[in-house]
Amino acid sequence: MSADLGAIVSEGSTRFRVRAPRADALMLCLFDADGNETRHDMTRDEDGAHWVLELPEDMAGQRYGYRARGEWAPEKGLWFDEAKLLVDPHATQLDRRFKADKALTEYGAETGHLVPRAIVMREYDGFPKQPPVFDRGGLIYEVNVRGFTLNHPDVPADQRGTIAAMAHPAVIAHLRKIGVSAVEFMPVIAWMDEPHLGPLGLANHWGYNPVAPMALDPGLCPGGVRELRKTVEALHEAGIGVLLDLVFNHTGEGDAGGNVICLRGLDDSAYARSEDGVMLNDSGCGNTVDFGQEWVRELALDTMRHFVARCGIDGFRFDLAPIMARSPGFDPEAPIFAAIADDEWLHDRVMIAEPWDIGPGGYQLGHFPQNWLEWNDRFRDDVRQFWRGDAGVAALATRIAGSSDLFGRDCRSVNFLAAHDGFTLADTVAYEERHNEANGEDNRDGHGDNNSWNNGVEGPTDDPEVLARRAADLRALLGTLFASTGTIMLTAGDEFGRTQGGNNNAYCQDMPIDWEGRDTALEDHVAALSAERAANVAAFAQFPEDGQWLTLDGAEMTPGDWENPETPGFIHRPPSGHDRPAIRIDRDAREAGWA
């Protein structure tokens, strides 16, 4: 880990060091308990890119930030404004959450009262080095920490909505019941609400808009690094790994009219620009972090090392991961991949790419390193289309068998039916159209095509026939997932029928899980599927090369059967002696699972 950036306490002194190569001057700003600010001039380091100041006292617990002086010329990537308090990019703990405010965007507007202060922390205890608690073929459980725990009846009120709640015995018991191999926490890094949300009375509840990459959100993780570490320890003791969803593709500083709160006010080269100086927006969120910059890659590596070495994190999922390999085009041999592979802390971690962004050539499914896993949206789409009746058995069999058309024989697929983006699994069989009116964008946001169906009624219904068809569809979809080759993923609540009322872009909706209203019969069904898979999880990491593909009547599948759109399903029998059970798919009977 980089030992010379941020605030470092050592032998009775505290050293501050930060990157700002084009600033004319930099000031360290210290805040007392009443919020009074004292400024100290920093000195430009010998390398010309960094500023440093060492004070002769142990300042653990001290709140601080930076201010930069220099030219204000946004068109040149210069955003220096002494009125802007700036967060240390290497901060690991903040004293408050970020809050959107117009002053953060305006030259000369004071922001010292708005911006969170970093807190000087003593060196954390190291986490014992150990292999990741996860094996390919297992079940990843995608969790919005606040939404998952806020209404849990067994979690103490003061823990609900926090990372600490994930260590509660009742929560762990649920995870074990459904056979979770690893939880994947949706972003836990402190984030900024998008500026259009406040006037609408909305807030970002997902966290995909971070600012300083190492700083845990004070609302989700009020105990900071130690709270996360204790939670990881408890989950590891239960045999459950912990993955973090990291957003390295953009920051909450937004587009050219956005906020000056961290990197932008220190070194705007963090953001990619076209040859004519226009900010690139391959993320769709206003800016694109430039991984062509070595110092940017090092900041990302420092972030990952921090969470592995100090918290015991088993791996990471990367939002819009192609951006990590852009400069500006996607390069499958990008430097970040080699840096991770060669790093003593990171080389054995679980790395998962969301393999698309909105930039040119942004869809890169199957093109990440051979030791990375990748979210497979083709699995989601082909499985939904089969059960909706729009696709035949050939595409379904390819996905169940590990998507060798995308990954070859070494299956690196993360198979999923639903994720935080899009419809929940229950809404997939209850809504044909999105219903995002509550988001304040006239129902224009979110994907328009979801490969969903409503079984004859749009949304809620008391019709027992419709409800029975929906219940059968959910079991068929889940049976397909648990029978598939590769690593599988469920989003929290999909195992018991969580709904978002047809909203397929619910990032700004506060929708905590209703634990009292869950479908326990569906939950028990998922637990049974998971137990069967977990008994031989290694057998699901790769598809057996030999085996028989049979019709539902037991005859060998012919080319005509594969090509016939009316073929209702198939049976796959693995070779003799293989630990994997046989699979049976029957669209007409709405059944999928073990034969």
Side-chain angles (χ1 to χ4, degrees), residues 261-277:
I261 42 181
C262 188
L263 294 174
R264 172 170 284 156
L266 293 166
D267 185 359
D268 182 73
S269 72
Y271 301 115
R273 294 176 178 269
S274 64
E275 292 183 359
D276 59 1

Side-chain angles (χ1 to χ4, degrees), residues 224-568:
V225 166
R226 293 177 177 86
E227 178 176 335
L228 177 57
R229 178 189 173 115
K230 285 186 66 175
T231 298
V232 170
E233 289 173 343
L235 289 164
H236 279 183
E237 188 174 344
I240 299 169
V242 181
L243 313 175
L244 296 185
D245 190 340
L246 295 181
V247 183
F248 285 151
N249 61 80
H250 78 283
T251 79
E253 292 191 295
D255 60 19
N259 305 303
V260 182
I261 42 181
C262 188
L263 294 174
R264 172 170 284 156
L266 293 166
D267 185 359
D268 182 73
S269 72
Y271 301 115
R273 294 176 178 269
S274 64
E275 292 183 359
D276 59 1
V278 176
M279 293 185 70
L280 298 181
N281 188 21
D282 296 332
S283 68
C285 301
N287 63 58
T288 301
V289 174
D290 188 0
F291 271 76
Q293 299 280 340
E294 183 178 3
W295 75 268
V296 169
R297 297 195 298 271
E298 196 58 39
L299 178 59
L301 292 166
D302 277 350
T303 299
M304 290 183 273
R305 293 172 189 135
H306 164 69
F307 286 117
V308 173
R310 293 164 175 161
C311 303
I313 294 300
D314 298 288
F316 306 95
R317 179 263 186 187
F318 301 104
D319 188 62
L320 304 182
I323 286 175
M324 297 171 66
R326 284 188 176 276
S327 186
F330 176 84
D331 179 3
E333 304 295 328
I336 190 64
F337 298 138
I340 290 172
D342 293 340
D343 192 273
E344 68 166 316
W345 291 101
L346 306 178
H347 68 93
D348 64 348
R349 297 298 100 178
V350 180
M351 300 289 172
I352 305 173
E354 180 186 36
W356 49 80
D357 63 31
I358 71 165
Y363 190 76
Q364 293 294 333
L365 177 62
H367 296 147
F368 280 77
Q370 289 302 304
N371 61 338
W372 285 46
L373 304 179
E374 300 184 36
W375 272 26
N376 186 354
D377 63 331
R378 292 280 300 277
F379 180 93
R380 175 198 63 199
D381 294 347
D382 287 347
V383 170
R384 288 188 184 187
Q385 287 171 12
F386 174 81
W387 288 107
R388 193 171 70 170
D390 298 337
V393 293
L396 181 70
T398 299
R399 299 297 154 237
I400 287 178
S403 297
S404 61
D405 58 330
L406 301 171
F407 303 109
R409 296 300 309 169
D410 182 19
C411 181
R412 302 185 292 106
S413 179
V414 176
N415 301 330
F416 63 99
L417 301 166
H420 64 272
D421 278 325
F423 280 146
T424 68
L425 186 59
D427 287 353
T428 298
V429 301
Y431 294 89
E432 285 190 358
E433 306 293 338
R434 65 190 175 196
H435 295 270
N436 298 356
E437 291 82 4
N439 295 357
E441 299 184 42
D442 297 325
N443 204 33
R444 296 189 304 268
D445 61 309
H447 291 292
D449 183 8
N450 297 276
N451 295 309
S452 61
W453 62 101
N454 63 18
N455 280 289
V457 176
E458 186 75 354
T461 181
D462 294 327
D463 187 321
E465 292 186 4
V466 173
L467 293 175
R469 289 198 298 271
R470 290 178 180 177
D473 286 347
L474 288 176
R475 284 160 174 77
L477 287 161
L478 287 161
T480 307
L481 176 68
F482 277 87
S484 67
T485 296
T487 297
I488 61 174
M489 184 184 81
L490 273 179
T491 296
D494 281 351
E495 72 274 23
F496 48 67
R498 177 182 67 100
T499 179
Q500 292 175 171
N503 192 319
N504 74 351
N505 190 32
Y507 77 102
C508 57
Q509 301 301 319
D510 193 9
M511 293 182 173
I513 282 177
D514 177 11
W515 285 91
E516 302 296 338
R518 69 191 197 275
D519 182 343
T520 55
L522 183 62
E523 179 182 310
D524 291 342
H525 180 71
V526 169
L529 288 172
S530 189
E532 179 72 27
R533 182 182 177 100
N536 297 290
V537 67
F540 290 90
Q542 304 294 337
F543 195 70
E545 294 190 17
D546 299 319
Q548 293 180 295
W549 293 96
L550 307 174
T551 68
L552 295 176
D553 295 327
E556 185 173 343
M557 288 281 285
T558 66
D561 293 324
W562 288 116
E563 294 168 5
N564 184 355
E566 303 302 319
T567 299

